[in-house]
Amino acid sequence: MPKIIYYVAISLDGYISGPDGDISRFAMDGAGVEQYQQDLLNFSTTIMGRNTYEFGYQYGLQPGQPAYQHMEHHIFSEHLHLPDPHPQIHVEKLALQRVAAIRDASPTDVYLCGGGQFAGWLLDHGLIDELKLKINPMVLGGGVKLFGDSTTAVSWQLTDQQAYTGGLIIATYQRST
């Protein structure tokens, strides 16, 4: 069965963006970022929350268009309305059964793009199988937390890690059973 993999940049203090969605201090180039971009080619399906999808607008993403050209996009939102979405874009109502159906139908593992609140909801319901964290050597002091407001306790097993010039580390964790 395909896994849901939360692959995301994070600060040392657990934030996936700083205040007001600022990501300017995260690594934007180098071998670690190139590895991340290469890894994304292994996914054919992505899931994300509305805020994550709309975050792309400030970087040139047009509403209704895919952020990743080779992936089916499932955007979970009760309020997002895209008048003429690309065939790869699917706006979904937040439902456990729908997330499970998307995962089960995917020909590859599923890329959980974000954001923190959506990831926290998935964590609360046991739907994240693996974490791939691009750990950036900085402290942001505030912003969007890795799992939003979730207080669910889960143990993870480190299965791989790779360090890159500049201090970026990509660490892979499997959910402990």
Side-chain angles (χ1 to χ4, degrees), residues 47-138:
I47 58 176
M48 65 187 76
R50 177 187 55 82
N51 288 340
T52 297
Y53 181 73
E54 290 179 340
F55 182 76
Y57 296 172
Q58 64 188 299
Y59 297 95
L61 179 65
Q62 295 299 308
Q65 294 302 303
Y68 308 98
Q69 298 302 315
H70 67 285
M71 292 186 212
E72 290 291 317
H73 291 55
H74 298 273
I75 305 158
F76 285 83
S77 173
E78 302 296 320
H79 306 290
L80 180 64
H81 176 71
L82 300 170
D84 188 27
H86 188 280
Q88 290 171 239
I89 301 292
H90 314 280
V91 178
E92 310 278 357
K93 299 294 183 198
L94 195 59
L96 294 173
Q97 300 85 352
R98 187 64 189 131
V99 173
I102 290 165
R103 177 200 59 211
D104 295 347
S106 180
T108 65
D109 289 335
V110 175
Y111 170 43
L112 169 54
C113 185
Q117 285 302 118
F118 181 51
W121 181 81
L122 292 171
L123 181 76
D124 291 344
H125 293 93
L127 288 171
I128 299 175
D129 303 297
E130 182 175 305
L131 300 174
K132 283 190 76 86
L133 302 178
K134 296 180 293 183
I135 304 166
N136 286 254
M138 64 178 173

Side-chain angles (χ1 to χ4, degrees), residues 26-45:
F26 285 101
M28 298 292 179
D29 55 23
V33 174
E34 290 170 10
Q35 181 62 57
Y36 162 72
Q37 292 169 337
Q38 189 67 33
D39 290 345
L40 290 184
L41 297 175
N42 296 319
F43 297 102
S44 63
T45 306

Side-chain angles (χ1 to χ4, degrees), residues 12-26:
L12 292 173
D13 55 344
Y15 294 97
I16 62 173
S17 73
D20 299 320
D22 182 16
I23 61 167
S24 65
R25 294 184 56 207
F26 285 101

